[in-house]
Amino acid sequence: MTKTLTMMAMLITAAIACAEAGAADPSWTSGPNLPAPRYQHQALALANGGVMVVGGLDDGFAPLRTALISDGRLAGWSVSRTFDRVDARACVLASGKVLVTGGRYDGAGGDAKSATCELYDPSSGTWSPTGALHVGRYLHVIEALADGGAVVIGGISDATDPMDPGNDHIAHENPIERFDPATGHWTALPAIVAAASATSVTLSDGRVLVMGGFRGMDSGSLDPGGWMFDPADNSARVAGSWSASGYWVDFALAALPEGRALRAGGVAYYDPDAHATASAEIFDPSTDSWTPTGSMTRAHVGHALARLGTSGYLDADGVGTEIYDSGSGSWTAGPANPHPSVEGTLTRLHDGRLIAIGGRIGSSPIASTTILSTPASTDPATTPSDTPSGSGPSSPALASSAASGGGHGCGVGGAIAGIAMALASGLRTRRLPRPT
């Protein structure tokens, strides 16, 4: 009996070690190419395992009007919608529907700002109109809320700046607007001074943090801080400024546990100089302040940041990747992406994998997509709603990886099978005592 228990302990230890090795050593595989190169777009993870890509720029620096869809198999792309405007912003609602808002009309339509909003339903593959914004705008931010609605903040509108009436590129003082999914209508909330091209994230406590952006078209109009929106009472207030004085652009932002947030890299403007930075800092909601955390191994600009596994965050740019450990506050080198790019997207899928889409290498936009696979069994994002009961991984590639132990030479399934064999061979002639 002692020998059997010892064998079981060894096999369990091997299984755990192999699982940890698989989780710590993700790998990239090629995904389906986009129909054409694209960068500065949005990429949204859909509840059915697929991805939607909205807007962006093509290889001629022209804004794109299309929304592309790749279903849960990630086997190819199709055009789902061609909009009558550019620079719209989108988010995935709690219902799984995609809400696309605002934008601007270019070309023959002039440069008027759009208030149009539309909904996409992945379950039926159909689009439908919904309530319009009170103020047409573009370069705004949009975040989904826990009640099933969404909030739009900032952007550039058609309002006239009294100090510069001829400049329609000023980020005007626009009302925050909140979307009610039950009625399909928007409510205009008290106005705030909010920057355009800001970066936003929904914190784990449900509040929305908006940082950076600009109020005009030169570095002197960059926003040194940000705003905090609380959906509990529809209030907005100025958020704590960065830990270092100055202005930041092209940084990456991600939500951490306990209502915190991570800012990584970017360009720091210190009058009169600007430089790329490797610094990172953490927002603490209890003190409403930013404090430095471990620096990246090198400067990152035009990069993307997404959660990896249970406590890691992968940052990817045109040189390579780094992984941030939120427990230790340190960065380590990540797996090399075969198509590293800037101004692309990095999106966490519902099964825990990450997909990098498009971007540019130097001045050349790319159409490549790559998928970073992690063991789904160790990922809390793999829930019954993501992977139906009794089904396996959501793609053949991931199923193959799981069956072979992730390519690490020791399959977790094999180790568990060994435990079962040990139980069968070592305990079949012995009866275990019943619990009393």
Side-chain angles (χ1 to χ4, degrees):
M1 178 67 175
T2 301
K3 290 183 178 180
T4 300
L5 292 176
T6 300
M7 180 182 296
M8 289 170 60
M10 292 173 64
L11 288 168
I12 291 172
T13 301
I16 293 173
C18 192
E20 290 178 344
D25 188 21
S27 59
W28 294 95
T29 57
S30 294
N33 281 353
L34 298 169
R38 182 180 298 229
Y39 66 109
Q40 291 188 10
H41 51 274
Q42 281 187 276
L44 309 170
L46 304 180
N48 62 7
V51 184
M52 173 181 284
V53 169
V54 178
L57 301 174
D58 67 13
D59 53 6
F61 199 68
L64 292 162
R65 300 173 180 271
T66 53
L68 306 177
I69 290 282
S70 184
D71 64 19
R73 297 169 300 168
L74 299 179
W77 297 93
S78 60
V79 175
S80 176
R81 180 74 165 164
T82 300
F83 302 108
D84 62 352
R85 60 203 189 279
V86 299
D87 293 335
R89 290 293 183 267
C91 73
V92 179
L93 302 178
S95 65
K97 294 182 178 180
V98 177
L99 175 63
V100 181
T101 62
R104 64 183 176 89
Y105 302 103
D106 63 343
D111 196 36
K113 315 310 180 285
S114 174
T116 299
C117 297
E118 301 170 74
L119 286 169
Y120 173 76
D121 186 346
S123 64
S124 62
T126 58
W127 291 84
S128 60
T130 191
L133 294 167
H134 290 270
V135 177
R137 63 186 84 191
Y138 76 109
L139 297 184
H140 52 282
V141 298
I142 180 171
E143 291 285 337
L145 302 177
D147 67 355
V151 63
V152 159
I153 301 174
I156 296 175
S157 71
D158 280 327
T160 300
D161 184 347
M163 303 301 295
D164 189 5
N167 185 358
D168 67 347
H169 294 294
I170 295 293
H172 303 289
E173 186 171 332
N174 293 313
I176 294 175
E177 299 195 42
R178 183 166 180 170
F179 180 72
D180 183 344
T183 64
H185 295 152
W186 293 86
T187 299
L189 305 176
I192 65 169
V193 176
S197 287
T199 303
S200 64
V201 66
T202 299
L203 305 177
S204 61
D205 61 13
R207 294 182 297 168
V208 176
L209 179 65
V210 182
M211 296 299 295
F214 62 86
R215 297 192 181 106
M217 298 304 289
D218 55 68
S219 61
S221 64
L222 293 171
D223 197 324
W227 300 89
M228 181 73 77
F229 172 74
D230 190 341
D233 58 8
N234 286 333
S235 64
R237 61 172 178 79
V238 175
S241 297
W242 305 115
S243 59
S245 61
Y247 306 87
W248 299 81
V249 298
D250 288 338
F251 56 87
L253 193 65
L256 298 179
E258 301 171 351
R260 299 176 299 152
L262 168 67
R263 190 276 303 165
V267 176
Y269 281 84
Y270 301 101
D271 190 27
D273 299 320
H275 65 277
T277 179
S279 69
E281 54 189 322
I282 300 293
F283 176 77
D284 185 343
S286 66
T287 60
D288 194 35
S289 62
W290 293 85
T291 56
T293 186
S295 290
M296 310 175 85
T297 61
R298 57 179 175 79
H300 287 244
V301 175
H303 51 128
L305 186 65
R307 185 162 67 89
L308 177 68
T310 56
S311 62
Y313 293 80
L314 184 81
D315 189 284
D317 68 0
V319 177
T321 68
E322 297 191 46
I323 297 175
Y324 178 75
D325 186 326
S326 60
S328 65
S330 61
W331 295 86
T332 56
N337 188 340
H339 302 289
S341 66
V342 296
E343 297 184 339
T345 53
L346 184 65
T347 304
R348 181 185 171 97
L349 302 174
H350 278 265
D351 61 10
R353 294 177 298 165
L354 303 183
I355 183 167
I357 302 174
R360 59 180 177 84
I361 298 176
S363 60
S364 301
I366 63 174
S368 303
T369 69
T370 48
I371 300 168
L372 187 68
S373 295
T374 58
S377 59
T378 66
D379 199 311
T382 303
T383 63
S385 62
D386 297 325
T387 304
S389 178
S391 69
S394 63
S395 77
L398 192 57
S400 174
S401 174
S404 63
H408 295 280
C410 55
V412 176
I416 300 300
I419 295 172
M421 291 176 65
L423 286 168
S425 62
L427 301 180
R428 65 167 55 100
T429 59
R430 303 171 185 263
R431 288 187 178 274
L432 295 176
R434 292 180 178 272
T436 57

